[in-house]
Amino acid sequence: MTHRKNRCQVTPLRYAADAFVTAGLIVVLFLGWETWFNSIVLNAGQSAAASTLSQTWISHAATAPAGSPADPPVDAAPGATEPLAVIYVPRLGSDWERTIRETVDTETVLNSYDAGVGHYPGTAMPGGVGNFAIAAHDSGYGNTFIDVSKLQIGDAIYIQTPDGWYTYRFRNFQYVQPDQVNVLNAVPTVNGAPAGARLITMTTCNPPFHAVERLIAYGSFESFQPLTAGAPAEIAATVASKG
């Protein structure tokens, strides 16, 4: 009598195929974690940390130094990884806010649960003459700057410090190679030129989920108001709701 081969017999080839499928599934799950779930968790943590810092400064507003739109106070840069400001960009979401820490170190600042945005050491501080330059991820680790490309001319960028609120207005984009660091110059992309204006430069990777080039968003300083004057009207309700 002829015996038929057992169709359920497991062969080395079947073992290998199963292993490849399992490995592929693990990779997909890992990418999903890094890209989506982990970013959702970090997004919430970074926003909550920024809100807590913002409210702490507001609670001490009576001691904040005075300043004016023409001559705003400018703090000295803090130590590495220390917080220096909270950034609000309404175009990125009505509740979007992040802590800005000194340095753009990946692990301690850009990937952290309580920051997400880093300040390039050596560039201007908020309100200072020169280029206040900051960086954040476009995707992953909170997706902090994933929607920066949606900014429109005139959009507000609010920077809160222990002194008050600095308002910048977005003016233009630039796309550059990853090694074009002269966008951080006092006059962006111009080597050796003395600082003459108060600017903000936001840098991130582009396109989202890749690092082929860098997206640069520039803004110009518009005004300053002390913490005792309250938050700028556009974000006043958001800030008050966190108190």
Side-chain angles (χ1 to χ4, degrees):
M1 183 174 62
T2 303
H3 295 280
R4 294 183 179 180
K5 188 176 181 180
N6 188 346
R7 294 180 181 272
C8 296
Q9 182 179 357
V10 179
T11 65
L13 183 60
R14 177 65 179 273
Y15 272 125
D18 288 347
F20 278 119
V21 170
T22 301
L25 180 60
I26 291 172
V27 169
V28 169
L29 290 174
F30 175 77
L31 291 175
W33 163 266
E34 284 294 313
T35 304
W36 302 111
F37 186 75
N38 188 42
S39 286
I40 291 172
V41 173
L42 276 166
N43 186 312
Q46 291 168 353
S47 180
S51 180
T52 297
L53 181 61
S54 172
Q55 293 303 318
T56 298
W57 285 339
I58 290 172
S59 69
H60 294 88
T63 62
S68 69
D71 188 24
V74 180
D75 292 333
T81 76
E82 291 297 311
L84 62 93
V86 173
I87 179 173
Y88 293 81
V89 185
R91 179 66 65 182
L92 305 186
S94 59
D95 291 330
W96 190 95
E97 56 186 311
R98 291 292 191 278
T99 301
I100 303 175
R101 291 183 176 269
E102 182 69 8
T103 77
V104 293
D105 180 73
T106 300
E107 294 305 320
T108 60
V109 177
L110 302 189
N111 291 3
S112 72
Y113 282 87
D114 58 0
V117 181
H119 172 241
Y120 287 98
T123 66
M125 288 288 285
V129 175
N131 187 9
F132 172 50
I134 58 178
H137 291 306
D138 65 327
S139 51
Y141 300 98
N143 295 340
T144 304
F145 276 177
I146 195 169
D147 289 328
V148 161
S149 63
K150 296 180 181 179
L151 286 172
Q152 299 179 14
I153 293 175
D155 278 349
I157 303 165
Y158 300 108
I159 305 295
Q160 179 195 9
T161 75
D163 299 332
W165 303 89
Y166 303 77
T167 299
Y168 292 83
R169 294 286 174 184
F170 169 71
R171 67 182 195 186
N172 68 286
F173 291 117
Q174 184 178 19
Y175 296 86
V176 302
Q177 294 300 306
D179 60 353
Q180 191 172 333
V181 296
N182 62 1
V183 297
L184 307 179
N185 290 352
V187 179
T189 74
V190 180
N191 296 325
R198 295 178 171 89
L199 306 174
I200 186 171
T201 295
M202 304 166 67
T203 72
T204 193
C205 294
N206 187 72
F209 310 106
H210 297 80
V212 177
E213 60 186 3
R214 297 294 181 265
L215 170 61
I216 315 299
Y218 297 111
S220 299
F221 176 77
E222 179 182 83
S223 63
F224 168 81
Q225 62 190 64
L227 289 184
T228 51
E234 186 177 14
I235 59 172
T238 297
V239 173
S241 70
K242 306 295 180 65

PDB file of all heavy atoms in Angstrom, residues 138-171:
ATOM      1  N   ASP A 138      10.543  65.794  13.692  1.00  0.00           N
ATOM      2  CA  ASP A 138       9.315  65.907  12.904  1.00  0.00           C
ATOM      3  C   ASP A 138       8.413  64.711  13.166  1.00  0.00           C
ATOM      4  O   ASP A 138       7.188  64.824  13.155  1.00  0.00           O
ATOM      5  CB  ASP A 138       9.630  66.022  11.407  1.00  0.00           C
ATOM      6  CG  ASP A 138      10.283  64.757  10.851  1.00  0.00           C
ATOM      7  OD1 ASP A 138      11.036  64.110  11.609  1.00  0.00           O
ATOM      8  OD2 ASP A 138      10.048  64.425   9.682  1.00  0.00           O
ATOM      9  N   SER A 139       8.999  63.544  13.406  1.00  0.00           N
ATOM     10  CA  SER A 139       8.207  62.336  13.637  1.00  0.00           C
ATOM     11  C   SER A 139       8.931  61.451  14.643  1.00  0.00           C
ATOM     12  O   SER A 139      10.152  61.433  14.720  1.00  0.00           O
ATOM     13  CB  SER A 139       7.977  61.585  12.330  1.00  0.00           C
ATOM     14  OG  SER A 139       9.198  61.387  11.636  1.00  0.00           O
ATOM     15  N   GLY A 140       8.146  60.727  15.417  1.00  0.00           N
ATOM     16  CA  GLY A 140       8.706  59.924  16.481  1.00  0.00           C
ATOM     17  C   GLY A 140       8.994  60.776  17.705  1.00  0.00           C
ATOM     18  O   GLY A 140       9.176  61.984  17.617  1.00  0.00           O
ATOM     19  N   TYR A 141       8.981  60.150  18.858  1.00  0.00           N
ATOM     20  CA  TYR A 141       9.299  60.819  20.116  1.00  0.00           C
ATOM     21  C   TYR A 141       8.442  62.061  20.344  1.00  0.00           C
ATOM     22  O   TYR A 141       8.913  63.114  20.733  1.00  0.00           O
ATOM     23  CB  TYR A 141      10.793  61.162  20.180  1.00  0.00           C
ATOM     24  CG  TYR A 141      11.660  59.929  20.083  1.00  0.00           C
ATOM     25  CD1 TYR A 141      12.237  59.557  18.870  1.00  0.00           C
ATOM     26  CD2 TYR A 141      11.865  59.114  21.195  1.00  0.00           C
ATOM     27  CE1 TYR A 141      12.993  58.403  18.772  1.00  0.00           C
ATOM     28  CE2 TYR A 141      12.628  57.959  21.103  1.00  0.00           C
ATOM     29  CZ  TYR A 141      13.191  57.615  19.899  1.00  0.00           C
ATOM     30  OH  TYR A 141      13.934  56.461  19.797  1.00  0.00           O
ATOM     31  N   GLY A 142       7.158  61.939  20.071  1.00  0.00           N
ATOM     32  CA  GLY A 142       6.226  63.026  20.308  1.00  0.00           C
ATOM     33  C   GLY A 142       5.762  63.755  19.064  1.00  0.00           C
ATOM     34  O   GLY A 142       4.853  64.580  19.134  1.00  0.00           O
ATOM     35  N   ASN A 143       6.400  63.476  17.914  1.00  0.00           N
ATOM     36  CA  ASN A 143       6.022  64.161  16.659  1.00  0.00           C
ATOM     37  C   ASN A 143       5.959  65.675  16.851  1.00  0.00           C
ATOM     38  O   ASN A 143       5.064  66.353  16.331  1.00  0.00           O
ATOM     39  CB  ASN A 143       4.665  63.651  16.157  1.00  0.00           C
ATOM     40  CG  ASN A 143       4.704  62.194  15.749  1.00  0.00           C
ATOM     41  OD1 ASN A 143       5.761  61.621  15.481  1.00  0.00           O
ATOM     42  ND2 ASN A 143       3.544  61.565  15.713  1.00  0.00           N
ATOM     43  N   THR A 144       6.903  66.212  17.574  1.00  0.00           N
ATOM     44  CA  THR A 144       6.834  67.604  18.033  1.00  0.00           C
ATOM     45  C   THR A 144       6.658  68.614  16.907  1.00  0.00           C
ATOM     46  O   THR A 144       5.793  69.482  16.978  1.00  0.00           O
ATOM     47  CB  THR A 144       8.093  67.947  18.852  1.00  0.00           C
ATOM     48  OG1 THR A 144       8.213  67.000  19.923  1.00  0.00           O
ATOM     49  CG2 THR A 144       8.001  69.339  19.440  1.00  0.00           C
ATOM     50  N   PHE A 145       7.475  68.542  15.881  1.00  0.00           N
ATOM     51  CA  PHE A 145       7.427  69.518  14.788  1.00  0.00           C
ATOM     52  C   PHE A 145       6.871  68.906  13.499  1.00  0.00           C
ATOM     53  O   PHE A 145       7.139  69.403  12.412  1.00  0.00           O
ATOM     54  CB  PHE A 145       8.825  70.078  14.512  1.00  0.00           C
ATOM     55  CG  PHE A 145       9.233  71.224  15.410  1.00  0.00           C
ATOM     56  CD1 PHE A 145      10.509  71.783  15.316  1.00  0.00           C
ATOM     57  CD2 PHE A 145       8.361  71.759  16.342  1.00  0.00           C
ATOM     58  CE1 PHE A 145      10.897  72.841  16.121  1.00  0.00           C
ATOM     59  CE2 PHE A 145       8.740  72.808  17.165  1.00  0.00           C
ATOM     60  CZ  PHE A 145      10.018  73.351  17.059  1.00  0.00           C
ATOM     61  N   ILE A 146       6.055  67.850  13.603  1.00  0.00           N
ATOM     62  CA  ILE A 146       5.587  67.177  12.393  1.00  0.00           C
ATOM     63  C   ILE A 146       4.706  68.088  11.534  1.00  0.00           C
ATOM     64  O   ILE A 146       4.617  67.915  10.316  1.00  0.00           O
ATOM     65  CB  ILE A 146       4.828  65.883  12.756  1.00  0.00           C
ATOM     66  CG1 ILE A 146       4.667  64.998  11.506  1.00  0.00           C
ATOM     67  CG2 ILE A 146       3.478  66.183  13.403  1.00  0.00           C
ATOM     68  CD1 ILE A 146       4.179  63.603  11.811  1.00  0.00           C
ATOM     69  N   ASP A 147       4.055  69.086  12.135  1.00  0.00           N
ATOM     70  CA  ASP A 147       3.159  69.968  11.390  1.00  0.00           C
ATOM     71  C   ASP A 147       3.747  71.364  11.143  1.00  0.00           C
ATOM     72  O   ASP A 147       3.021  72.275  10.732  1.00  0.00           O
ATOM     73  CB  ASP A 147       1.828  70.113  12.122  1.00  0.00           C
ATOM     74  CG  ASP A 147       0.990  68.849  12.059  1.00  0.00           C
ATOM     75  OD1 ASP A 147       1.082  68.128  11.042  1.00  0.00           O
ATOM     76  OD2 ASP A 147       0.252  68.578  13.019  1.00  0.00           O
ATOM     77  N   VAL A 148       5.033  71.525  11.358  1.00  0.00           N
ATOM     78  CA  VAL A 148       5.643  72.840  11.136  1.00  0.00           C
ATOM     79  C   VAL A 148       5.447  73.316   9.701  1.00  0.00           C
ATOM     80  O   VAL A 148       5.291  74.514   9.443  1.00  0.00           O
ATOM     81  CB  VAL A 148       7.146  72.814  11.505  1.00  0.00           C
ATOM     82  CG1 VAL A 148       7.898  73.973  10.871  1.00  0.00           C
ATOM     83  CG2 VAL A 148       7.312  72.873  13.024  1.00  0.00           C
ATOM     84  N   SER A 149       5.421  72.377   8.757  1.00  0.00           N
ATOM     85  CA  SER A 149       5.247  72.753   7.349  1.00  0.00           C
ATOM     86  C   SER A 149       3.889  73.388   7.073  1.00  0.00           C
ATOM     87  O   SER A 149       3.665  73.945   5.998  1.00  0.00           O
ATOM     88  CB  SER A 149       5.423  71.536   6.444  1.00  0.00           C
ATOM     89  OG  SER A 149       4.424  70.562   6.717  1.00  0.00           O
ATOM     90  N   LYS A 150       2.962  73.322   8.041  1.00  0.00           N
ATOM     91  CA  LYS A 150       1.630  73.914   7.877  1.00  0.00           C
ATOM     92  C   LYS A 150       1.585  75.385   8.291  1.00  0.00           C
ATOM     93  O   LYS A 150       0.537  76.035   8.146  1.00  0.00           O
ATOM     94  CB  LYS A 150       0.602  73.130   8.686  1.00  0.00           C
ATOM     95  CG  LYS A 150       0.422  71.691   8.221  1.00  0.00           C
ATOM     96  CD  LYS A 150      -0.606  70.950   9.065  1.00  0.00           C
ATOM     97  CE  LYS A 150      -0.770  69.506   8.601  1.00  0.00           C
ATOM     98  NZ  LYS A 150      -1.744  68.761   9.431  1.00  0.00           N
ATOM     99  N   LEU A 151       2.693  75.914   8.816  1.00  0.00           N
ATOM    100  CA  LEU A 151       2.704  77.318   9.214  1.00  0.00           C
ATOM    101  C   LEU A 151       2.387  78.224   8.025  1.00  0.00           C
ATOM    102  O   LEU A 151       2.794  77.954   6.895  1.00  0.00           O
ATOM    103  CB  LEU A 151       4.071  77.701   9.784  1.00  0.00           C
ATOM    104  CG  LEU A 151       4.387  77.185  11.196  1.00  0.00           C
ATOM    105  CD1 LEU A 151       5.843  77.471  11.541  1.00  0.00           C
ATOM    106  CD2 LEU A 151       3.462  77.823  12.224  1.00  0.00           C
ATOM    107  N   GLN A 152       1.676  79.296   8.312  1.00  0.00           N
ATOM    108  CA  GLN A 152       1.336  80.280   7.293  1.00  0.00           C
ATOM    109  C   GLN A 152       1.908  81.638   7.686  1.00  0.00           C
ATOM    110  O   GLN A 152       2.080  81.933   8.882  1.00  0.00           O
ATOM    111  CB  GLN A 152      -0.185  80.371   7.147  1.00  0.00           C
ATOM    112  CG  GLN A 152      -0.828  79.061   6.705  1.00  0.00           C
ATOM    113  CD  GLN A 152      -2.339  79.145   6.580  1.00  0.00           C
ATOM    114  OE1 GLN A 152      -2.913  80.237   6.565  1.00  0.00           O
ATOM    115  NE2 GLN A 152      -2.992  78.004   6.493  1.00  0.00           N
ATOM    116  N   ILE A 153       2.215  82.443   6.699  1.00  0.00           N
ATOM    117  CA  ILE A 153       2.828  83.746   6.954  1.00  0.00           C
ATOM    118  C   ILE A 153       1.987  84.531   7.954  1.00  0.00           C
ATOM    119  O   ILE A 153       0.772  84.658   7.802  1.00  0.00           O
ATOM    120  CB  ILE A 153       2.982  84.538   5.645  1.00  0.00           C
ATOM    121  CG1 ILE A 153       4.005  83.853   4.729  1.00  0.00           C
ATOM    122  CG2 ILE A 153       3.438  85.974   5.934  1.00  0.00           C
ATOM    123  CD1 ILE A 153       4.137  84.486   3.369  1.00  0.00           C
ATOM    124  N   GLY A 154       2.649  85.030   8.981  1.00  0.00           N
ATOM    125  CA  GLY A 154       1.968  85.808  10.005  1.00  0.00           C
ATOM    126  C   GLY A 154       1.535  85.000  11.215  1.00  0.00           C
ATOM    127  O   GLY A 154       1.099  85.573  12.220  1.00  0.00           O
ATOM    128  N   ASP A 155       1.628  83.669  11.145  1.00  0.00           N
ATOM    129  CA  ASP A 155       1.269  82.843  12.298  1.00  0.00           C
ATOM    130  C   ASP A 155       2.131  83.210  13.503  1.00  0.00           C
ATOM    131  O   ASP A 155       3.342  83.453  13.374  1.00  0.00           O
ATOM    132  CB  ASP A 155       1.454  81.363  11.982  1.00  0.00           C
ATOM    133  CG  ASP A 155       0.283  80.769  11.234  1.00  0.00           C
ATOM    134  OD1 ASP A 155      -0.759  81.438  11.144  1.00  0.00           O
ATOM    135  OD2 ASP A 155       0.408  79.631  10.745  1.00  0.00           O
ATOM    136  N   ALA A 156       1.508  83.188  14.671  1.00  0.00           N
ATOM    137  CA  ALA A 156       2.217  83.537  15.898  1.00  0.00           C
ATOM    138  C   ALA A 156       2.985  82.348  16.457  1.00  0.00           C
ATOM    139  O   ALA A 156       2.533  81.204  16.392  1.00  0.00           O
ATOM    140  CB  ALA A 156       1.240  84.055  16.941  1.00  0.00           C
ATOM    141  N   ILE A 157       4.148  82.652  17.003  1.00  0.00           N
ATOM    142  CA  ILE A 157       4.961  81.704  17.764  1.00  0.00           C
ATOM    143  C   ILE A 157       5.220  82.383  19.102  1.00  0.00           C
ATOM    144  O   ILE A 157       5.915  83.397  19.159  1.00  0.00           O
ATOM    145  CB  ILE A 157       6.293  81.395  17.048  1.00  0.00           C
ATOM    146  CG1 ILE A 157       6.030  80.861  15.640  1.00  0.00           C
ATOM    147  CG2 ILE A 157       7.136  80.424  17.866  1.00  0.00           C
ATOM    148  CD1 ILE A 157       7.263  80.868  14.740  1.00  0.00           C
ATOM    149  N   TYR A 158       4.624  81.860  20.152  1.00  0.00           N
ATOM    150  CA  TYR A 158       4.734  82.482  21.472  1.00  0.00           C
ATOM    151  C   TYR A 158       5.775  81.751  22.309  1.00  0.00           C
ATOM    152  O   TYR A 158       5.743  80.522  22.426  1.00  0.00           O
ATOM    153  CB  TYR A 158       3.389  82.449  22.200  1.00  0.00           C
ATOM    154  CG  TYR A 158       2.283  83.185  21.479  1.00  0.00           C
ATOM    155  CD1 TYR A 158       1.258  82.479  20.852  1.00  0.00           C
ATOM    156  CD2 TYR A 158       2.270  84.577  21.411  1.00  0.00           C
ATOM    157  CE1 TYR A 158       0.235  83.152  20.189  1.00  0.00           C
ATOM    158  CE2 TYR A 158       1.260  85.250  20.740  1.00  0.00           C
ATOM    159  CZ  TYR A 158       0.235  84.531  20.131  1.00  0.00           C
ATOM    160  OH  TYR A 158      -0.771  85.195  19.472  1.00  0.00           O
ATOM    161  N   ILE A 159       6.672  82.509  22.888  1.00  0.00           N
ATOM    162  CA  ILE A 159       7.709  81.972  23.758  1.00  0.00           C
ATOM    163  C   ILE A 159       7.516  82.549  25.154  1.00  0.00           C
ATOM    164  O   ILE A 159       7.581  83.769  25.342  1.00  0.00           O
ATOM    165  CB  ILE A 159       9.120  82.329  23.241  1.00  0.00           C
ATOM    166  CG1 ILE A 159       9.306  81.877  21.784  1.00  0.00           C
ATOM    167  CG2 ILE A 159      10.178  81.711  24.161  1.00  0.00           C
ATOM    168  CD1 ILE A 159       9.253  80.383  21.581  1.00  0.00           C
ATOM    169  N   GLN A 160       7.267  81.690  26.125  1.00  0.00           N
ATOM    170  CA  GLN A 160       7.101  82.122  27.512  1.00  0.00           C
ATOM    171  C   GLN A 160       8.360  81.787  28.303  1.00  0.00           C
ATOM    172  O   GLN A 160       8.881  80.672  28.233  1.00  0.00           O
ATOM    173  CB  GLN A 160       5.913  81.411  28.161  1.00  0.00           C
ATOM    174  CG  GLN A 160       5.687  81.803  29.621  1.00  0.00           C
ATOM    175  CD  GLN A 160       4.759  80.854  30.351  1.00  0.00           C
ATOM    176  OE1 GLN A 160       4.400  79.807  29.825  1.00  0.00           O
ATOM    177  NE2 GLN A 160       4.373  81.212  31.552  1.00  0.00           N
ATOM    178  N   THR A 161       8.838  82.767  29.065  1.00  0.00           N
ATOM    179  CA  THR A 161       9.956  82.567  29.979  1.00  0.00           C
ATOM    180  C   THR A 161       9.526  83.056  31.359  1.00  0.00           C
ATOM    181  O   THR A 161       8.410  83.577  31.512  1.00  0.00           O
ATOM    182  CB  THR A 161      11.204  83.353  29.524  1.00  0.00           C
ATOM    183  OG1 THR A 161      11.013  84.746  29.808  1.00  0.00           O
ATOM    184  CG2 THR A 161      11.483  83.156  28.029  1.00  0.00           C
ATOM    185  N   PRO A 162      10.369  82.957  32.377  1.00  0.00           N
ATOM    186  CA  PRO A 162      10.009  83.509  33.682  1.00  0.00           C
ATOM    187  C   PRO A 162       9.795  85.024  33.639  1.00  0.00           C
ATOM    188  O   PRO A 162       9.209  85.594  34.567  1.00  0.00           O
ATOM    189  CB  PRO A 162      11.212  83.148  34.566  1.00  0.00           C
ATOM    190  CG  PRO A 162      11.787  81.937  33.920  1.00  0.00           C
ATOM    191  CD  PRO A 162      11.612  82.167  32.443  1.00  0.00           C
ATOM    192  N   ASP A 163      10.263  85.670  32.559  1.00  0.00           N
ATOM    193  CA  ASP A 163      10.111  87.124  32.428  1.00  0.00           C
ATOM    194  C   ASP A 163       8.779  87.525  31.810  1.00  0.00           C
ATOM    195  O   ASP A 163       8.195  88.544  32.186  1.00  0.00           O
ATOM    196  CB  ASP A 163      11.239  87.702  31.557  1.00  0.00           C
ATOM    197  CG  ASP A 163      12.610  87.451  32.147  1.00  0.00           C
ATOM    198  OD1 ASP A 163      12.706  87.334  33.383  1.00  0.00           O
ATOM    199  OD2 ASP A 163      13.574  87.353  31.368  1.00  0.00           O
ATOM    200  N   GLY A 164       8.314  86.773  30.825  1.00  0.00           N
ATOM    201  CA  GLY A 164       7.091  87.167  30.138  1.00  0.00           C
ATOM    202  C   GLY A 164       6.898  86.405  28.847  1.00  0.00           C
ATOM    203  O   GLY A 164       7.444  85.319  28.649  1.00  0.00           O
ATOM    204  N   TRP A 165       6.106  87.026  27.960  1.00  0.00           N
ATOM    205  CA  TRP A 165       5.719  86.413  26.689  1.00  0.00           C
ATOM    206  C   TRP A 165       6.369  87.163  25.527  1.00  0.00           C
ATOM    207  O   TRP A 165       6.209  88.369  25.386  1.00  0.00           O
ATOM    208  CB  TRP A 165       4.204  86.468  26.520  1.00  0.00           C
ATOM    209  CG  TRP A 165       3.439  85.816  27.628  1.00  0.00           C
ATOM    210  CD1 TRP A 165       3.013  86.397  28.779  1.00  0.00           C
ATOM    211  CD2 TRP A 165       3.026  84.452  27.691  1.00  0.00           C
ATOM    212  NE1 TRP A 165       2.341  85.497  29.560  1.00  0.00           N
ATOM    213  CE2 TRP A 165       2.331  84.286  28.921  1.00  0.00           C
ATOM    214  CE3 TRP A 165       3.146  83.362  26.841  1.00  0.00           C
ATOM    215  CZ2 TRP A 165       1.784  83.076  29.309  1.00  0.00           C
ATOM    216  CZ3 TRP A 165       2.599  82.150  27.228  1.00  0.00           C
ATOM    217  CH2 TRP A 165       1.927  82.014  28.442  1.00  0.00           C
ATOM    218  N   TYR A 166       7.062  86.421  24.685  1.00  0.00           N
ATOM    219  CA  TYR A 166       7.694  86.982  23.488  1.00  0.00           C
ATOM    220  C   TYR A 166       6.904  86.478  22.283  1.00  0.00           C
ATOM    221  O   TYR A 166       6.728  85.269  22.110  1.00  0.00           O
ATOM    222  CB  TYR A 166       9.144  86.533  23.364  1.00  0.00           C
ATOM    223  CG  TYR A 166      10.009  86.883  24.556  1.00  0.00           C
ATOM    224  CD1 TYR A 166       9.933  86.144  25.742  1.00  0.00           C
ATOM    225  CD2 TYR A 166      10.898  87.956  24.509  1.00  0.00           C
ATOM    226  CE1 TYR A 166      10.708  86.456  26.839  1.00  0.00           C
ATOM    227  CE2 TYR A 166      11.694  88.275  25.605  1.00  0.00           C
ATOM    228  CZ  TYR A 166      11.592  87.521  26.767  1.00  0.00           C
ATOM    229  OH  TYR A 166      12.376  87.842  27.864  1.00  0.00           O
ATOM    230  N   THR A 167       6.439  87.384  21.454  1.00  0.00           N
ATOM    231  CA  THR A 167       5.675  87.003  20.270  1.00  0.00           C
ATOM    232  C   THR A 167       6.538  87.162  19.026  1.00  0.00           C
ATOM    233  O   THR A 167       7.092  88.236  18.766  1.00  0.00           O
ATOM    234  CB  THR A 167       4.411  87.865  20.123  1.00  0.00           C
ATOM    235  OG1 THR A 167       3.564  87.672  21.254  1.00  0.00           O
ATOM    236  CG2 THR A 167       3.638  87.479  18.855  1.00  0.00           C
ATOM    237  N   TYR A 168       6.658  86.067  18.278  1.00  0.00           N
ATOM    238  CA  TYR A 168       7.329  86.081  16.979  1.00  0.00           C
ATOM    239  C   TYR A 168       6.275  85.782  15.914  1.00  0.00           C
ATOM    240  O   TYR A 168       5.252  85.148  16.201  1.00  0.00           O
ATOM    241  CB  TYR A 168       8.426  85.018  16.907  1.00  0.00           C
ATOM    242  CG  TYR A 168       9.622  85.260  17.800  1.00  0.00           C
ATOM    243  CD1 TYR A 168       9.604  84.899  19.143  1.00  0.00           C
ATOM    244  CD2 TYR A 168      10.787  85.836  17.298  1.00  0.00           C
ATOM    245  CE1 TYR A 168      10.703  85.102  19.970  1.00  0.00           C
ATOM    246  CE2 TYR A 168      11.902  86.038  18.111  1.00  0.00           C
ATOM    247  CZ  TYR A 168      11.848  85.669  19.445  1.00  0.00           C
ATOM    248  OH  TYR A 168      12.942  85.878  20.259  1.00  0.00           O
ATOM    249  N   ARG A 169       6.526  86.210  14.690  1.00  0.00           N
ATOM    250  CA  ARG A 169       5.623  85.931  13.572  1.00  0.00           C
ATOM    251  C   ARG A 169       6.370  85.171  12.484  1.00  0.00           C
ATOM    252  O   ARG A 169       7.435  85.593  12.027  1.00  0.00           O
ATOM    253  CB  ARG A 169       5.074  87.239  12.979  1.00  0.00           C
ATOM    254  CG  ARG A 169       4.168  88.018  13.925  1.00  0.00           C
ATOM    255  CD  ARG A 169       2.805  87.377  14.088  1.00  0.00           C
ATOM    256  NE  ARG A 169       1.985  88.060  15.112  1.00  0.00           N
ATOM    257  CZ  ARG A 169       0.788  87.664  15.495  1.00  0.00           C
ATOM    258  NH1 ARG A 169       0.241  86.596  14.931  1.00  0.00           N
ATOM    259  NH2 ARG A 169       0.135  88.309  16.436  1.00  0.00           N
ATOM    260  N   PHE A 170       5.790  84.039  12.086  1.00  0.00           N
ATOM    261  CA  PHE A 170       6.395  83.236  11.024  1.00  0.00           C
ATOM    262  C   PHE A 170       6.449  84.034   9.729  1.00  0.00           C
ATOM    263  O   PHE A 170       5.489  84.723   9.365  1.00  0.00           O
ATOM    264  CB  PHE A 170       5.587  81.959  10.805  1.00  0.00           C
ATOM    265  CG  PHE A 170       5.987  81.206   9.569  1.00  0.00           C
ATOM    266  CD1 PHE A 170       7.196  80.541   9.505  1.00  0.00           C
ATOM    267  CD2 PHE A 170       5.158  81.197   8.453  1.00  0.00           C
ATOM    268  CE1 PHE A 170       7.575  79.859   8.354  1.00  0.00           C
ATOM    269  CE2 PHE A 170       5.524  80.514   7.304  1.00  0.00           C
ATOM    270  CZ  PHE A 170       6.736  79.839   7.250  1.00  0.00           C
ATOM    271  N   ARG A 171       7.569  83.889   9.006  1.00  0.00           N
ATOM    272  CA  ARG A 171       7.701  84.648   7.751  1.00  0.00           C
ATOM    273  C   ARG A 171       8.047  83.796   6.530  1.00  0.00           C
ATOM    274  O   ARG A 171       7.606  84.089   5.414  1.00  0.00           O
ATOM    275  CB  ARG A 171       8.739  85.759   7.898  1.00  0.00           C
ATOM    276  CG  ARG A 171      10.169  85.295   8.086  1.00  0.00           C
ATOM    277  CD  ARG A 171      11.114  86.466   8.260  1.00  0.00           C
ATOM    278  NE  ARG A 171      12.511  86.069   8.098  1.00  0.00           N
ATOM    279  CZ  ARG A 171      13.542  86.873   8.313  1.00  0.00           C
ATOM    280  NH1 ARG A 171      13.326  88.119   8.709  1.00  0.00           N
ATOM    281  NH2 ARG A 171      14.777  86.451   8.128  1.00  0.00           N
TER     282      ARG A 171
END
